[in-house]
Amino acid sequence: MLRFIICEDNNQFLERINNIINKAMIIYNFDYKISKFNEYNKEVEKIIKNENEQKIYILDIELPIISGLEIASTIRENDTESPIIFLTAHSEYKNDVFYSRLLALDYIPKDMIWSDRFEDTIKHIVKTINHKRVLSFEFNYNSYRVPLKDIIYIDKVQDHQKCLIHTDSGEIFEIICGVADLAKRLGPSFYQSHKACIVNVEKIKSINYTDGIITFLNNESVYSLSERKKKGLRDYVSRY
């Protein structure tokens, strides 16, 4: 579960942030939750101290009770990994943010183009998280952890509840799992192009939509693009 924590005292702006996050996340295969606050409170403190979640913080600078800078400082006392994004109408605080060594990922002024930049930042974070994820499974009494970034595509073995995981190194792993179930476990760079195949869109070199052929960066090709998935793949690649 990925949790977004928004601290913003303007309710109208709070809802705009919420809507942009939902828009950015709609194409990604990620379970996520958005927690919205107008000020720092016990619930925010509880979330900060919870070590069992992946979190992204979106903070305004000027808030009631304590400022966004103070909240960020509290976050960093407990958590040095979670991304922090500042969204503020006060561009003059930018130096304070970076001189304070709060490890902020981005500082976005609330100007005319803030929403586009914010959406791009969210997508960048999700892709970065995805690159760090692994697919964990057991096969023939052995345990495996395959980084998602190393997977080119996964295809189903005919007449068997088993799939083959094809990787950059040329190594192929076997896994007892259906394609649909695997698709739910993978990250946003993966798309089910066929009932028997999942492809990593970051590894695609070209797509022949007429013949249903997908060619990867290593020049390997698969004939695994079904007719009903062509438009979906085209749209997904264009948005990714």
Side-chain angles (χ1 to χ4, degrees), residues 79-92:
D79 176 2
T80 59
E81 298 294 328
S82 294
I84 297 175
I85 302 168
F86 285 99
L87 273 173
T88 179
H90 300 276
S91 59
E92 67 269 19

Side-chain angles (χ1 to χ4, degrees), residues 169-209:
S169 66
E171 192 170 7
I172 299 175
F173 298 91
E174 295 179 288
I175 179 172
I176 303 297
C177 190
V179 172
D181 290 335
L182 267 178
K184 296 176 182 178
R185 295 172 59 185
L186 299 171
S189 63
F190 291 86
Y191 185 85
Q192 187 173 348
S193 62
H194 187 278
K195 65 180 180 180
C197 186
I198 304 169
V199 298
N200 186 344
V201 298
E202 293 184 350
K203 305 291 186 180
I204 293 176
K205 180 179 181 181
S206 64
I207 304 171
N208 184 325
Y209 290 100

